[in-house]
Amino acid sequence: MKRRSALGWGELVIGIALILLGILTFARPAGALTGIVFVYGIFAVITGIADIAFYIKMERHTGFGPAISLVTGILSVLAGILLLLNPGAGGWALVFLFPIWFIAHCISRLSHLTIVRLTAGTGYYYFTMIANILGLVLGFMMLFRPLLSFFSVTYLIGFYLILMGIDHIVVAVSGTGLRR
């Protein structure tokens, strides 16, 4: 019998990278908007691919997949490609597109809560629920107040990245990120 590590290494690496990126965003807010747009584009593409993979995996195992995961995955990949192809305009695009992506991603994560409760337990369920509800509030704040969003987007992004990094680390340590 093959032994598996109780640690999801991929989730752990992504979690640490997200936390470091969030801290970097707080440390250099003025330069973060233009200097890290490229990195945000890469993470948007990776997140989108993960959402699409989740949809495919659920479709294969249950016969139906959460369509919201497919839609948000496609939106994430498209937003990421936009940021990668035009990083100069990416700062302005983040002010308008990031809140939409933020909201869509949080809705997608909230739609997975029943599966999270079954596989990871109630502690991680409540953490995920609270983190993504906060993400929804931040997303709507950015969407309805674009000027405020323009000046505070780096702090909001940093806060969200740190939350999502913690989320990935919890998944890695709990063992729910492992393949069955």
Side-chain angles (χ1 to χ4, degrees), residues 37 41 45 76-90 93-94 97:
V37 166
V45 169
S76 292
V77 169
L78 290 174
I81 290 171
L82 173 75
L83 293 174
L84 292 172
L85 293 178
N86 196 349
L94 277 178
L97 295 177

Side-chain angles (χ1 to χ4, degrees), residues 87-117:
W92 284 103
L94 277 178
V95 171
F96 298 106
L97 295 177
F98 192 75
I100 295 168
W101 173 64
F102 212 75
I103 292 166
H105 183 70
C106 289
I107 290 171
S108 173
R109 299 284 272 196
L110 287 170
S111 73
H112 304 154
L113 282 179
T114 54
I115 297 165
V116 168
R117 178 176 258 169

Side-chain angles (χ1 to χ4, degrees), residues 4-5 18 38 51 61 76 86 106 110 117-118 124 129 132 136 173 177:
R4 291 189 184 260
S5 170
L18 286 171
F38 188 76
D51 280 346
H61 289 293
S76 292
N86 196 349
C106 289
L110 287 170
R117 178 176 258 169
L118 292 173
Y124 182 61
M129 182 174 60
N132 285 290
L136 277 175
V173 173

Side-chain angles (χ1 to χ4, degrees), residues 42-52 72-73 76-77 101 105 168:
I42 290 171
F43 273 111
V45 169
I46 291 170
T47 302
I49 291 170
D51 280 346
I52 292 169
T72 59
S76 292
V77 169
W101 173 64
H105 183 70
H168 280 276

Side-chain angles (χ1 to χ4, degrees), residues 120-136:
T122 57
Y124 182 61
Y125 167 83
Y126 286 116
F127 175 79
T128 301
M129 182 174 60
I130 291 168
N132 285 290
I133 289 172
L134 286 173
L136 277 175

Side-chain angles (χ1 to χ4, degrees), residues 12-170:
L12 182 66
V13 169
I14 290 172
I16 291 170
L18 286 171
I19 289 173
L20 291 175
L21 189 58
I23 291 170
L24 181 64
T25 301
F26 278 120
R28 298 184 167 252
L33 194 56
T34 55
I36 304 178
V37 166
F38 188 76
V39 176
Y40 290 139
I42 290 171
F43 273 111
V45 169
I46 291 170
T47 302
I49 291 170
D51 280 346
I52 292 169
F54 178 78
Y55 170 81
I56 292 169
K57 190 180 225 182
M58 291 306 297
E59 177 79 25
R60 188 175 302 137
H61 289 293
T62 64
F64 65 92
I68 191 80
S69 291
L70 181 61
V71 171
T72 59
I74 292 169
L75 285 174
S76 292
V77 169
L78 290 174
I81 290 171
L82 173 75
L83 293 174
L84 292 172
L85 293 178
N86 196 349
W92 284 103
L94 277 178
V95 171
F96 298 106
L97 295 177
F98 192 75
I100 295 168
W101 173 64
F102 212 75
I103 292 166
H105 183 70
C106 289
I107 290 171
S108 173
R109 299 284 272 196
L110 287 170
S111 73
H112 304 154
L113 282 179
T114 54
I115 297 165
V116 168
R117 178 176 258 169
L118 292 173
T119 59
T122 57
Y124 182 61
Y125 167 83
Y126 286 116
F127 175 79
T128 301
M129 182 174 60
I130 291 168
N132 285 290
I133 289 172
L134 286 173
L136 277 175
V137 170
L138 292 173
F140 281 112
M141 280 176 37
M142 289 188 295
L143 188 63
F144 292 121
R145 297 196 178 253
L147 190 58
L148 175 67
S149 176
F150 182 75
F151 291 112
S152 63
V153 71
T154 55
Y155 294 110
L156 294 173
I157 292 169
F159 176 71
Y160 182 73
L161 288 172
I162 290 172
L163 271 179
M164 288 301 102
I166 292 169
D167 183 53
H168 280 276
I169 290 173
V170 169

